[in-house]
Amino acid sequence: MSDEHPLAPDPALRILEALLFAAAEPLTREQLSAHLPANADVEHLLDRLARHYSTSGVNLVRRGDGWAFRTAPDLAFLLRTEQQEPRTLSRAALETLAIIAYHQPATRAEIESIRGVAVGKGTMDILLETGWVRLRGRRRVPGRPVTYGTTSAFLDHFGLQSLGDLPGLEDLKGAGLLTTRPPASLPLRFEPPLGDDDDPPENPDQEDQG
Amino acid sequence: MSDEHPLAPDPALRILEALLFAAAEPLTREQLSAHLPANADVEHLLDRLARHYSTSGVNLVRRGDGWAFRTAPDLAFLLRTEQQEPRTLSRAALETLAIIAYHQPATRAEIESIRGVAVGKGTMDILLETGWVRLRGRRRVPGRPVTYGTTSAFLDHFGLQSLGDLPGLEDLKGAGLLTTRPPASLPLRFEPPLGDDDDPPENPDQEDQG
Amino acid sequence: MGIADDWLAIPPEIEAEPGAVLRVDVEGYEGPLDLLLDLARRQKVDLAAISVLQLAEQYLAFIQEQREQRIEPAADYLVMAAWLAYLKSRLLLPAAPADAEPSGEALAAALHWRLQRLQAMRRAAASLWDRPRLGAQVLPRGAPEPVEIAHRPHWDTSLLDLLKAYATQRERVAPAAYAPRTRTVWSLPDARERLQSLLRDTSDWISLDGYLARFLGDPAERATARASGFAASLELVRQGEVELRQEQAFGPVLLRRREGQGA
């Protein structure tokens, strides 16, 4: 296999190549043929050029009436660079996340009843942005409120194999994080605070929306 | 002859192709290799890519530390109708640019002694504004005069791989015309702006401050 | 410092003389070197083969011509003229044996070199400009696809932060079992009654603290017992039943039943 460019012999293709490369906008067949000999078959030349570039890092693509070179779609990732910026969760977001983790699936009302304050929309948006919280479904109660749960990215980030690895209340007390034992009236982890008329959480497979 | 692109099998070449096509400015080897596997021989890949495009309507060219795709110079006739002359320089500015290019790092006094006339402030401003000339540092002589040199945009604009490609550089060197003092055969102190106690121009690498 | 060193120095400001000749840049020339180069070109020979003497004469003639038209060339042209006149004299007169000044040939060679260098730079400028230039004969990518920078937040939240947050909330909402501590308080009538029953049996001075110690097993009650006991003893003094004595500040408080009282 040679690295020699197979287009070399055809001046018309070289001209098309240069014109399309240098153009700020897609060029129409008319614009292109103005630079070619009168008898040139522009359509055919464009097809050849497109085929030639089809496996290349750039492709010749049709855009409306015109033609343009564009980065091959599978290489689009090259044109994005990611910059990490360290950020800290607000206390409200962290507390809300903790409640979702321990009480999922949890509705906003349930989170608020545990925290004792309203959960701001921004807080929930940030948690969804972290990729640690997702919508799980809807509770089968009047109003069908949305329920929230954690994602596998949550487990990844916090180094947990499964949700079952979250320390229980006794563990928290043992670690000195809890000094009093919360009364049994508060729901334990993984037990959504179900009212008498609540359905149990649905099957997550049916419930998942993402 | 097939129109199939012979580069298809090599993902690294496709990546280079896409990156260089997408950029208007030359990209350095470091910028490119950031997107390639650690063991990739970027220099070799660039050579292959340049050879591949050497007969094409678009060429891969080296510009100082960077590489860029540019339309083939022999197709200039195509573009003349499309493009307006982007920039013209006064004779004084062009001469000053040439003196800086061939004598860099050069002080204003050196430029003036070559041209035999003072360099207007406007001339230097225009050259700095083109982005082709930059301040390089200061000469280590009394008064510490500023020195000027050219930029990579200068190489890009004039289609030079490196400063070594300046037209006629070797001949000028051989004829002793690129010194700021007359050759030793001329028993004359000839540069009024510089006194006996001046150092010769230093090694540019030592002198550069930015 | 010879004149050879001076001709390129920044010329001193020449005072304008009212009504005198006009001082102007020589039209079309960028300085004396440019003028010399142009005169050299008119010799229609290669610069390398040019006669410097002839060039000096042409220059001086040109300047003279200007002055005859009552146009005074700018100072640097005149400095060059002076230098060329000097050069000419060095070239024409034989050098004295002990002459410290450079020879006319050396001066001529130096001028020659300067003219060649200027001409070389002019040619270099022209050939630079004749190259296929970017934006004129060579074009970059017309529709560059700029690299997007996606800012990906990196959350520095640890599992410990999470657990603390959870524990804090659970504690915050846990109903506190608040039981006010009940304290034994001696009432004044109690204290009085106990003092009376104590003093009934003796007529000696007794220490208030010592007496309290007898009654109280629980040190927590000592403060209230002392306060109430002391207050009750004052009351008994007022009623004439008891005498109080204290030897020194903060010393033990002693009390005794008044003679003739009680049993």
Side-chain angles (χ1 to χ4, degrees):
Chain A
M1 189 185 87
S2 157
D3 278 347
E4 276 307 303
H5 201 290
L7 294 177
D10 195 332
L13 279 188
R14 291 185 75 231
I15 289 172
L16 284 187
E17 216 173 7
L19 285 171
L20 289 163
F21 170 83
E25 287 174 2
L27 296 178
T28 62
R29 209 157 34 145
E30 289 69 34
Q31 287 172 315
L32 291 167
S33 57
H35 295 276
L36 294 174
N39 59 351
D41 182 349
V42 184
E43 201 68 24
H44 173 70
L45 289 168
L46 283 168
D47 279 348
R48 275 185 68 193
L49 200 59
R51 206 156 57 243
H52 173 74
Y53 275 95
S54 62
T55 55
S56 166
V58 272
N59 299 154
L60 182 60
V61 295
R62 220 189 171 113
R63 289 280 179 269
D65 288 343
W67 292 80
F69 278 120
R70 290 286 182 260
T71 306
D74 66 309
L75 296 178
F77 70 91
L78 291 172
L79 303 181
R80 276 177 64 85
T81 62
E82 292 204 330
Q83 278 186 357
Q84 289 220 337
E85 12 176 81
R87 283 171 70 181
T88 311
L89 279 184
S90 69
R91 199 180 114 180
L94 188 59
E95 289 182 3
T96 304
L97 174 65
I99 291 167
I100 292 171
Y102 274 91
H103 299 272
Q104 59 190 303
T107 65
R108 182 182 289 252
E110 288 157 5
I111 297 164
E112 289 175 348
S113 86
I114 296 176
R115 288 198 66 218
V117 289
V119 175
K121 172 148 173 41
T123 301
M124 213 45 117
D125 287 349
I126 283 170
L127 288 178
L128 290 169
E129 192 198 323
T130 60
W132 297 338
V133 164
R134 65 191 172 101
L135 300 175
R136 281 192 53 165
R138 289 183 183 277
R139 176 81 24 92
R140 287 196 194 122
V141 295
R144 294 187 50 74
V146 164
T147 59
Y148 297 92
T150 54
T151 63
S152 57
F154 167 83
L155 297 177
D156 270 358
H157 182 90
F158 292 101
L160 300 166
Q161 295 265 331
S162 69
L163 288 175
D165 283 355
L166 277 174
L169 295 180
E170 284 305 323
D171 302 327
L172 294 179
K173 199 170 176 185
L177 293 170
L178 273 176
T179 51
T180 56
R181 181 176 166 72
S185 64
L186 268 175
L188 293 174
R189 64 202 184 98
F190 307 137
E191 301 291 333
L194 298 180
D196 274 348
D197 51 355
D198 272 358
D199 285 337
E202 295 101 88
N203 181 335
D205 291 340
Q206 293 172 2
E207 194 184 35
D208 277 7
Q209 298 191 325
Chain B
M1 187 187 86
S2 156
D3 277 348
E4 275 308 301
H5 201 289
L7 294 178
D10 195 331
L13 279 187
R14 289 185 76 231
I15 288 175
L16 286 185
E17 211 174 11
L19 287 169
L20 289 162
F21 238 81
E25 307 285 322
L27 298 176
T28 64
R29 210 161 31 149
E30 287 68 36
Q31 287 172 314
L32 292 168
S33 58
H35 295 276
L36 293 176
N39 60 352
D41 182 349
V42 185
E43 201 70 21
H44 174 71
L45 290 168
L46 284 167
D47 280 346
R48 273 186 69 194
L49 200 59
R51 208 156 55 241
H52 172 76
Y53 274 94
S54 61
T55 55
S56 170
V58 182
N59 300 154
L60 180 61
V61 293
R62 186 178 208 137
R63 295 290 174 254
D65 289 340
W67 291 79
F69 275 117
R70 299 287 181 248
T71 55
D74 68 304
L75 297 178
F77 70 92
L78 279 181
L79 312 167
R80 203 155 289 152
T81 52
E82 304 282 303
Q83 290 290 126
Q84 284 202 323
E85 177 67 36
R87 171 173 269 136
T88 53
L89 285 182
S90 69
R91 191 181 122 180
L94 184 57
E95 271 181 33
T96 303
L97 174 64
I99 291 168
I100 291 171
Y102 283 80
H103 288 84
Q104 59 189 303
T107 64
R108 180 183 288 253
E110 286 158 4
I111 298 162
E112 290 177 345
S113 91
I114 293 172
R115 295 197 66 228
V117 68
V119 175
K121 173 145 175 37
T123 300
M124 212 47 114
D125 286 350
I126 284 168
L127 287 178
L128 289 168
E129 195 191 306
T130 59
W132 299 336
V133 164
R134 65 186 172 103
L135 299 176
R136 282 193 49 165
R138 289 182 182 277
R139 177 78 29 93
R140 288 194 194 124
V141 295
R144 295 183 52 72
V146 164
T147 60
Y148 298 90
T150 55
T151 63
S152 56
F154 167 81
L155 296 179
D156 199 16
H157 184 86
F158 290 99
L160 301 164
Q161 294 214 1
S162 69
L163 289 177
D165 276 359
L166 283 169
L169 186 69
E170 287 310 313
D171 292 343
L172 290 172
K173 255 187 206 161
L177 292 172
L178 293 187
T179 59
T180 50
R181 285 160 181 266
S185 59
L186 298 178
L188 259 193
R189 289 207 296 108
F190 212 64
E191 301 294 313
L194 303 179
D196 262 351
D197 50 355
D198 275 358
D199 289 334
E202 292 100 86
N203 180 336
D205 291 339
Q206 292 173 1
E207 190 184 38
D208 275 6
Q209 300 192 324
Chain C
M1 202 171 178
I3 191 168
D5 295 328
D6 290 333
W7 65 272
L8 258 175
I10 307 292
E13 280 293 319
I14 295 169
E15 280 182 34
E17 300 160 53
V21 288
L22 206 57
R23 281 176 212 281
V24 291
D25 273 335
V26 179
E27 201 176 327
Y29 291 105
E30 283 196 82
L33 220 50
D34 184 31
L35 171 55
L36 271 172
L37 200 55
D38 186 60
L39 293 171
R41 256 202 306 273
R42 289 188 212 170
Q43 290 192 12
K44 290 196 165 67
V45 290
D46 183 17
L47 194 57
I50 204 157
S51 158
V52 170
L53 181 61
Q54 197 183 336
L55 191 61
E57 280 166 351
Q58 284 171 344
Y59 185 95
L60 293 169
F62 182 90
I63 296 297
Q64 188 55 39
E65 194 182 310
Q66 297 276 310
R67 295 177 117 168
E68 279 161 11
Q69 294 171 23
R70 295 189 60 76
I71 296 170
E72 187 76 350
D76 44 353
Y77 289 87
L78 299 179
V79 174
M80 176 63 95
W83 188 83
L84 288 173
Y86 168 75
L87 167 65
K88 200 176 139 190
S89 72
R90 299 291 300 177
L91 282 173
L92 293 176
L93 299 174
D99 200 342
E101 294 284 310
S103 72
E105 284 71 25
L107 292 172
L111 176 63
H112 200 194
W113 178 76
R114 293 188 69 91
L115 290 173
Q116 280 183 312
R117 188 175 61 166
L118 178 59
Q119 180 174 265
M121 282 302 107
R122 294 229 161 123
R123 287 184 177 156
S127 53
L128 207 52
W129 198 252
D130 284 344
R131 290 184 61 81
R133 279 173 294 120
L134 188 68
Q137 290 82 27
V138 169
L139 293 186
R141 178 79 190 272
E145 297 167 76
V147 173
E148 252 179 73
I149 296 174
H151 294 275
R152 192 156 62 87
H154 172 74
W155 301 97
D156 54 356
T157 306
S158 70
L159 184 59
L160 184 62
D161 294 333
L162 186 76
L163 298 179
K164 274 186 190 157
Y166 187 65
T168 306
Q169 293 180 92
R170 294 303 297 258
E171 289 208 304
R172 197 194 301 148
V173 294
Y178 177 68
R181 201 147 48 94
T182 50
R183 293 197 330 199
T184 322
V185 177
W186 282 26
S187 66
L188 280 180
D190 285 351
R192 180 193 165 107
E193 196 175 303
R194 283 166 193 173
L195 277 179
Q196 281 172 327
S197 68
L198 178 76
L199 292 170
R200 207 174 292 135
D201 300 335
T202 177
S203 56
D204 282 344
W205 289 99
I206 57 168
S207 154
L208 186 62
D209 282 348
Y211 136 75
L212 289 169
R214 258 182 30 217
F215 275 86
L216 298 169
D218 186 358
E221 288 183 15
R222 200 159 289 161
T224 179
R226 184 181 292 156
S228 299
F230 183 64
S233 67
L234 291 177
E235 175 70 11
L236 290 171
V237 168
R238 194 176 63 83
Q239 292 172 357
E241 290 185 35
V242 163
E243 286 178 291
L244 272 180
R245 200 177 81 191
Q246 189 176 27
E247 302 282 333
Q248 63 190 46
F250 304 111
V253 176
L254 303 174
L255 62 162
R256 184 176 69 171
R257 180 160 54 91
R258 281 278 290 270
E259 291 306 323
Q261 296 286 326

